[in-house]
Amino acid sequence: MTTTSARLLELSDAHSAHTYHPLPVVISRAEGVWLTDVEGRRYLDMLAAYSAVNFGHANPRLTARAKEQLDRVTLVSRAFEHDQFGPFVRDLAALCGKDMVLPMNSGAEGVETALKTARKWGYEVKGVPPGKANVIAFRGNFHGRTTTIISFSDDPDAHDSYGPYTPGFRLVPYGDLEALRAAVDGATVAVLIEPIQGEAGVNVPPSGFLRAVRELCTETGVLMIDDEVQAGLGRTGRTFAADHEDVVPDVYILGKALGGGIMPVSAVVADRDVLGVFEPGQHGSTFGGNPLACAIGREVVAMLREGAYQRHSAELGAYLHERLGSLPGVEGVSGRGLWAGLSLGRAARPVSERLMELGVLAKETHETVLRLAPPLVITREELDWALERLEAALAVSQGATGR
Ligand SMILES: *Cc1c(COP(=O)(O)O)cnc(C)c1O
C-alpha cells in the first residue's frame, strides 16, 4: 500500500530538479519547534530552515501581524510609498546602529546588493580606477547561489560548470589574518565575511579574528561587510554574531530570520556615507521592501529589541554545548548559542536518517558534519528530548559502520 508521503515524494522526485537531497519526510503542519508530516507523525525541528525560523513556526505574534497586513495591502512596488516602509527601515537601522537600509528579498540578493554597494562606493568615494575593484572573501564561504556569488565559492558543487565567472574576487583562508593583510591592496573595496561560517560546518573563527578584520579594514580604508544572514538575529545568543567581539561592520547583510519564517526578507544596512551612493534607478527590486515584508520585518525587529530570544539562545546554547561536549561518537563540536556543528569523522547522513526515524529532523552539511539549529523557542525539556535521541542515533549508526 502506498502511503500519502510516498506518493508525494514520488511527485517531487519526478517533477522537480534534483538540487537538494532532502530527508524523505513530507511536512504538512508546524507549530513552535514541532513539525507534523502528512501521516500525522511529529518531529522536533533541529534545523529551523537554516535559521530562517529562529522565532518558531507559526509564531503567534508574527502570524497575527502578517494576517492583519494581508487584508490591508501586500504590494505596491517601490514606485509608490506605503505606510509600512518608513517605520521598518527606521527600526531596522536603529537595531543595527546604522543610518540606512536597502531592503531586498533573498539572502543572495542581499549579498549581491552589498557587493554592488561596495564597488560603487569604491569607484565613487574611495577613488579606485574604473573596473579595477576587488573584494576579498574567505575559503569555505557560503553567500548564496547567483552566478557572481558562486564565482568566488571554493565548493566544487556550488561553483563548477557555471562559468564564465565574475572577476574581482580573492579568497584567503578563514581565520588567517596575515593572508588577509597580504591580499589587501589599493583597489580593495571590501572584505566579505561570515562571522561564523554556517554551511562550511558552523565554523567559529579564532578568537579576536573579527576584531582584527575590523581594524585592518579601518586602517586600509576597506569596507567590512558582515554577512549575518544565517548567524544573525539571535541565533548565536546575541543580536549579531559580530557582537561577540564587539565588532561593528560597515555593512550588515541580513536575511533568513528577518522574514520571520513567513517570507523572504533581506536587507543591506549601513551608514549614509556608504548606502548614500545610490541614486534613483541604479538598483532595485519589485518585491524588495513590500508592505507585507516590512510589516513582518518590523515585528521581528521589535521582538529582537526586547532581547529575550538572544538571552534564551545564550543560556540554552551554553547548556547545549556542554551536553554535546560529552557525547560519544563526536570528534568535535563548534558553534555558538543554539547553533552547533558536530564533526563526526564519518558520513553524517545515516545519523540524520536515524534521527528522523526517532522523531528529530536535522541535516548534515558537507558530508561529515551534523548541524543543529533549533528554533530559538525550544525549551530545555525539548532540547533534552532531542539530545537523548541524538545519542541513540549516534550509537546505532556508529555500530552500523563498524566503528
Ligand atoms: C543562506 C545564506 C545566504 C543566502 O540566502 P538565500 O536566502 O538562500 O539566498 C547568504 N549568506 C549566508 C551566510 C547564508 O547562510
Side-chain angles (χ1 to χ4, degrees):
M1 201 178 69
T2 359
T3 61
T4 309
S5 62
R7 270 194 295 110
L8 292 168
L9 288 168
E10 256 172 50
L11 287 181
S12 155
D13 189 57
H15 302 291
S16 79
H18 294 178
T19 50
Y20 283 84
H21 183 27
L23 289 167
V25 57
V26 185
I27 302 303
S28 61
R29 292 194 75 88
E31 193 183 348
V33 297
W34 294 97
L35 302 168
T36 306
D37 76 3
V38 288
E39 329 289 352
R41 284 185 293 251
R42 289 198 349 134
Y43 304 86
L44 205 163
D45 182 1
M46 289 292 282
L47 177 65
Y50 307 95
S51 286
V53 188
N54 278 1
F55 311 108
H57 296 275
N59 181 293
R61 204 167 149 179
L62 294 174
T63 51
R65 187 65 194 89
K67 284 175 183 169
E68 185 191 16
Q69 190 61 39
L70 271 176
D71 289 331
R72 292 189 193 189
V73 55
T74 52
L75 188 62
V76 295
S77 85
R78 293 289 308 280
F80 314 131
E81 288 282 337
H82 62 79
D83 62 356
Q84 302 302 307
F85 190 80
F88 169 61
V89 293
R90 174 197 61 200
D91 293 355
L92 182 57
L95 184 77
C96 298
K98 299 287 186 192
D99 297 334
M100 285 180 154
V101 173
L102 179 40
M104 299 294 286
N105 309 283
S106 68
E109 281 179 299
V111 173
E112 286 277 349
T113 300
L115 293 171
K116 286 173 75 175
T117 305
R119 283 181 170 184
K120 201 162 170 29
W121 172 88
Y123 297 126
E124 296 177 2
V125 179
K126 181 167 174 164
V128 172
K132 297 294 182 202
N134 71 73
V135 170
I136 304 172
F138 293 89
R139 298 205 179 283
N141 73 73
F142 181 87
H143 296 287
R145 299 291 195 169
T146 65
T147 40
T148 286
I149 292 171
I150 60 88
S151 291
F152 56 91
S153 169
D154 60 356
D155 173 356
D157 282 339
H159 173 273
D160 293 356
S161 300
Y162 299 124
Y165 298 103
T166 305
F169 296 95
R170 298 172 178 177
L171 285 189
V172 299
Y174 193 58
D176 186 340
L177 185 65
E178 287 322 304
L180 178 62
R181 192 185 299 280
V184 173
D185 63 22
T188 304
V189 294
V191 173
L192 173 62
I193 188 168
E194 292 165 88
I196 292 180
Q197 288 188 325
E199 296 310 299
V202 199
N203 295 341
V204 180
S207 169
F209 183 65
L210 295 177
R211 184 170 270 278
V213 171
R214 171 68 278 179
E215 282 163 11
L216 180 64
C217 286
T218 304
E219 263 169 45
T220 52
V222 166
L223 298 178
M224 179 179 183
I225 304 178
D226 177 18
D227 181 347
E228 296 262 357
V229 170
Q230 191 168 161
L233 308 185
R235 173 54 56 191
T236 65
R238 302 289 297 269
T239 303
F240 305 109
D243 291 347
H244 290 281
E245 293 197 4
D246 294 321
V247 162
V248 179
D250 299 293
V251 178
Y252 287 103
I253 308 170
L254 306 174
K256 293 199 168 109
L258 189 59
I262 299 173
M263 63 188 299
V265 183
S266 66
V268 170
V269 188
D271 278 333
R272 195 170 310 278
D273 57 344
V274 177
L275 271 178
V277 297
F278 289 111
E279 300 287 341
Q282 295 177 343
H283 188 61
S285 159
T286 304
F287 285 89
N290 69 72
L292 185 57
C294 290
I296 293 166
R298 193 178 173 206
E299 201 65 33
V300 164
V301 170
M303 286 158 57
L304 286 168
R305 293 191 86 109
E306 292 165 9
Y309 289 94
Q310 296 91 318
R311 276 195 299 279
H312 187 66
S313 180
E315 284 167 21
L316 209 55
Y319 174 70
L320 169 70
H321 282 274
E322 183 193 310
R323 290 280 312 266
L324 291 175
S326 60
L327 217 56
V330 175
E331 290 186 351
V333 181
S334 61
R336 215 163 226 162
L338 281 170
W339 199 20
L342 277 63
S343 304
L344 302 183
R346 60 200 157 96
R349 178 81 186 187
V351 179
S352 55
E353 285 173 354
R354 180 69 190 133
L355 269 173
M356 182 189 80
E357 290 163 11
L358 296 173
V360 175
L361 294 183
K363 196 70 170 37
E364 70 280 1
T365 178
H366 285 282
E367 306 287 324
T368 60
V369 178
L370 188 72
R371 167 176 27 200
L372 301 180
L376 306 181
V377 298
I378 191 169
T379 64
R380 187 171 167 134
E381 292 68 35
E382 288 164 335
L383 189 59
D384 281 332
W385 190 90
L387 288 168
E388 251 172 57
R389 274 143 195 85
L390 177 61
E391 194 161 350
L394 286 167
V396 166
S397 70
Q398 218 179 2
T401 57
R403 289 184 54 163

